[in-house]
Amino acid sequence: MPGIHYDIAHMLGAVVLLLSFALLYQRRLFAIIQAFAAQSMVLAAAAAWQGYIQDAPHLYITALLALSMKAIAIPVALHRVIDRLNIRRTVDTSLGVGPTMIAGVSLVTLSILLVLPVTADVTALTREDLALALSVVLLGLLTMITRRNAIGQVVGFMSLENGLILAAIGVEGMPLIVEMLVAFAVMVAFIIFGIFFFHIRERFDTLDLHALENFRGERR
């Protein structure tokens, strides 16, 4: 594989990872959604590039799905949900910015230490793609854990799924049906989350998880 192919693929995966840190850093809902849309857009570019260097046309479909659904349709839908529910734009978090970023760097280090030793027999590009993908998955999980707002947690869940797609496109021979099933599962989950958003907002007049715990008497 020419060096330029390797460098561009590695750069796109690294940008997806950097945008995971942007998701962790942001405290405003609109900024979180914009960071997620940017991450999905770079993921689409990464899928298209992998389709080119692997000569795998089905990855262009993956790129089109990521661009149309995750970079455009879902962010627009989340903006409309926020406007329609008129919820607070700032997201409370369980940890401060400093501890959150330290935890994120620790998870990336853990991913590298876990993936590289067990993938010694595959190509360097696949090894690094898998390490980057696992890092994105863990940072998405950390985003879900540290956010106290339901919409912030949903964005963390979809960022986690971006990591799974990044892993799928980095492995040669991965069938399209796997990527389609993952994308379909995320769309179904997003629709279900949307229905719950409206029901929770209508019932409790908030999407803040601390306020919901107070309603249940779990906090004094």
Side-chain angles (χ1 to χ4, degrees):
M1 178 184 297
I4 185 68
H5 291 174
Y6 175 91
D7 291 341
I8 292 176
H10 198 202
M11 180 192 70
L12 291 171
V15 174
V16 172
L17 176 60
L18 286 176
L19 288 168
S20 291
F21 278 102
L23 279 172
L24 276 177
Y25 178 79
Q26 298 296 339
R27 293 294 182 269
R28 296 184 63 79
L29 276 178
F30 284 151
I32 291 172
I33 294 171
Q34 287 169 353
F36 169 72
Q39 184 188 54
S40 301
M41 194 174 297
V42 178
L43 177 69
W49 184 250
Q50 289 284 355
Y52 169 69
I53 63 178
Q54 294 181 24
D55 193 21
H58 71 272
L59 289 180
Y60 295 120
I61 299 176
T62 302
L64 182 61
L65 287 173
L67 181 64
S68 60
M69 292 170 54
K70 306 190 75 177
I72 299 175
I74 291 179
V76 168
L78 285 174
H79 277 291
R80 290 185 177 177
V81 167
I82 292 171
D83 288 337
R84 184 168 178 181
L85 296 181
N86 193 27
I87 59 180
R88 195 157 59 98
R89 266 59 171 177
T90 303
V91 179
D92 293 329
T93 59
S94 303
L95 295 174
V97 173
T100 301
M101 301 306 285
I102 291 172
V105 171
S106 301
L107 289 175
V108 172
T109 304
L110 177 65
S111 301
I112 294 172
L113 293 177
L114 285 175
V115 171
L116 295 187
V118 299
T119 55
D121 296 334
V122 299
T123 65
L125 178 59
T126 301
R127 296 177 70 197
E128 294 177 6
D129 273 349
L130 290 177
L132 290 170
L134 180 59
S135 300
V136 174
V137 169
L138 293 180
L139 291 180
L141 187 60
L142 181 61
T143 302
M144 292 178 66
I145 293 172
T146 55
R147 293 299 187 274
R148 292 176 176 170
N149 180 281
I151 291 182
Q153 292 186 341
V154 168
V155 173
F157 170 77
M158 289 187 291
S159 174
L160 182 156
E161 192 264 347
N162 277 352
L164 296 178
I165 293 293
L166 185 63
I169 63 176
V171 179
E172 292 189 28
M174 181 68 72
L176 176 62
I177 186 65
V178 175
E179 298 155 30
M180 293 289 289
L181 287 175
V182 173
F184 179 73
V186 170
M187 279 303 297
V188 171
F190 179 76
I191 293 171
I192 294 173
F193 283 139
I195 294 172
F196 274 110
F197 286 161
F198 282 98
H199 280 286
I200 292 173
R201 181 66 165 77
E202 183 180 354
R203 176 70 178 81
F204 298 103
D205 200 33
T206 181
L207 289 181
D208 188 286
L209 299 184
H210 266 202
L212 296 178
E213 289 171 356
N214 288 333
F215 277 119
R216 296 174 56 187
E218 294 183 356
R219 290 183 177 275
R220 303 291 182 186

